[in-house]
Amino acid sequence: MTNVQPHPRRTAGRGTVGSLALCALLLVAAGVAAWFIPNAASDEQAWHRATPCAAGTPAAGRDNCLTTVPAVIARTDVNMPKQPSWLYFKDSRPLHRLQVSADAAQDFEAGDHVRLTVWRGQVMEVAGAGNSWHEHIITARSLAVVTALLALAAGYPAAMVLVRLRGRRLPDGEVLPSALPFAGALAGTALWLLPLCFLHPTDLLASPTRIVWAAAGSLLSLALLAAAWRATRVRTPEGVAAAGRPAEGEADGAARQPGQDEVFVSARFLEPTDFNPHGFGTHIALGDGAPAVTPGPGRYAAKRIPVERLTVRNVRRARDSDGDTVPRSWHIAELDDAGTPIRLAAAPDDLTRIIRALEPAGA
């Protein structure tokens, strides 16, 4: 049976739709969280300001004051942290059971006399002899931080869509640049945005200090996004002739001039050869002497590259067929090794420099 592979463009289209859906979902979730921030701030302030109800306060007027009710623990039900734990009350008074944390359920025992603090019809505290439990209050700070995190998280699938759109004219099979530089920009934004949201959830721009904070942070984010935009640009490989020419002001063969400091450039031959057995090489040594393949940034186990038998045939962007070990931003030089085609992968600028070291000697 023939195994039919999905068309790259069709797969990319599904990926774009999925990223857009995820981005929209995260933005909607951020909007919902932001919607509840004012209510959370109001409830939090009301809880902290609440005082015990007066003795003559009618039941209808006890919502905004604190009512203390005695109770006796009948038994406890302690479960795993991700499962609810319960306190059961004797004679189901003032209620049958109350969901608490596992630690609280372990602290109380059957027969303990406790006091329940009720606010707005909900038990907010259980206090006994040396033990207590408090209901968690959703604060405006926590909601503001969640809102910011969701909005920042939505930025990454949006960046993936942007990268795909910028690379839509690439030939089938060529890999797109990674969107990770945008993730770095979003992480940098989080460093200033999350503290601002935590400290001032309802009045981000209520003072000159906060305005300066937000303005400086926004400039930092713009700079990070601009850097990410440059890092994810689709670079067209130089032609063979252009790659073989030295840069303006650089002499021919500058990569192998005597006395020049030696450098070790990250690069990989994708096929094993006599000078790259078992694909051991991770770097190419350039500088004083013939280029050599090395297993790291050093001359240990270096093997000379026979430049006299190599010819550069083409320089192109990386493709899916080049394997997952080739970074997306690297380019590929297609070489002829005395009649055998081989591939050399490196970052664009590094590949250009390597070709300058190989091409003149192989000419």
Side-chain angles (χ1 to χ4, degrees):
M1 181 180 294
T2 302
N3 185 16
V4 179
Q5 298 294 329
H7 193 275
R9 292 302 186 202
R10 191 175 305 157
T11 302
R14 289 198 296 266
T16 299
V17 173
S19 296
L20 285 174
L22 178 58
C23 178
L25 180 62
L26 290 169
L27 288 177
V28 169
V32 171
W35 177 268
F36 285 103
I37 290 176
N39 288 336
S42 177
D43 290 344
E44 185 181 2
Q45 292 177 0
W47 163 245
H48 289 302
R49 294 174 181 174
T51 57
C53 298
T57 303
R62 289 179 174 266
D63 278 351
N64 293 317
C65 60
L66 306 179
T67 302
T68 302
V69 181
V72 178
I73 302 293
R75 65 182 178 90
T76 63
D77 185 4
V78 182
N79 293 310
M80 299 296 292
K82 293 185 178 181
Q83 297 178 344
S85 295
W86 303 91
L87 297 179
Y88 291 83
F89 298 98
K90 186 177 180 180
D91 300 328
S92 297
R93 293 180 182 177
L95 71 164
H96 177 58
R97 66 178 185 175
L98 176 68
Q99 182 177 337
V100 296
S101 65
D103 291 339
Q106 289 177 337
D107 290 339
F108 292 100
E109 297 179 352
D112 285 351
H113 289 259
V114 295
R115 298 182 308 278
L116 277 59
T117 300
V118 181
W119 181 67
R120 294 184 175 178
Q122 181 180 359
V123 177
M124 302 298 293
E125 295 179 355
V126 178
N131 298 324
S132 64
W133 168 85
H134 300 268
E135 177 65 271
H136 174 69
I137 297 292
I138 298 178
T139 64
R141 287 181 171 184
S142 62
L143 279 179
V145 170
V146 169
T147 298
L149 284 173
L150 290 171
L152 290 172
Y156 188 69
M160 295 175 66
V161 172
L162 178 62
V163 169
R164 292 192 184 103
L165 290 177
R166 294 179 73 186
R168 65 187 181 277
R169 299 185 185 278
L170 292 176
D172 286 349
E174 289 199 4
V175 296
L176 294 170
S178 172
L180 286 178
F182 285 102
L186 294 170
T189 301
L191 292 178
W192 67 265
L193 180 59
L194 296 184
L196 181 61
C197 292
F198 180 79
L199 296 175
H200 310 287
T202 59
D203 51 358
L204 296 178
L205 304 177
S207 71
T209 301
R210 298 171 205 172
I211 293 175
V212 172
W213 184 346
S218 298
L219 290 176
L220 171 63
S221 295
L222 287 175
L224 292 174
L225 289 172
W229 177 268
R230 290 193 299 270
T232 56
R233 70 189 186 277
V234 177
R235 297 185 60 177
T236 303
E238 298 182 13
V240 174
R245 292 196 303 269
E248 184 178 352
E250 181 181 3
D252 289 343
R256 294 186 286 113
Q257 285 182 349
Q260 181 180 353
D261 292 339
E262 190 170 53
V263 296
F264 296 89
V265 178
S266 294
R268 288 197 294 275
F269 284 96
L270 302 186
E271 286 80 20
T273 64
D274 56 344
F275 57 88
N276 182 44
H278 309 293
F280 85 109
T282 61
H283 289 70
I284 291 180
L286 298 175
D288 192 6
V293 180
T294 66
R299 272 284 177 179
Y300 173 76
K303 289 187 176 294
R304 176 183 172 274
I305 299 175
V307 295
E308 65 277 358
R309 74 187 199 203
L310 297 181
T311 303
V312 182
R313 296 301 186 191
N314 185 34
V315 180
R316 58 172 173 79
R317 298 185 74 254
R319 297 172 183 164
D320 293 331
S321 58
D322 295 318
D324 297 333
T325 61
V326 178
R328 297 185 176 190
S329 59
W330 282 18
H331 287 171
I332 305 293
E334 296 177 340
L335 310 176
D336 182 278
D337 180 12
T340 301
I342 60 176
R343 294 167 296 168
L344 172 62
D349 293 338
D350 291 338
L351 186 62
T352 299
R353 186 173 186 181
I354 295 170
I355 291 175
R356 289 173 186 166
L358 301 180
E359 187 70 11

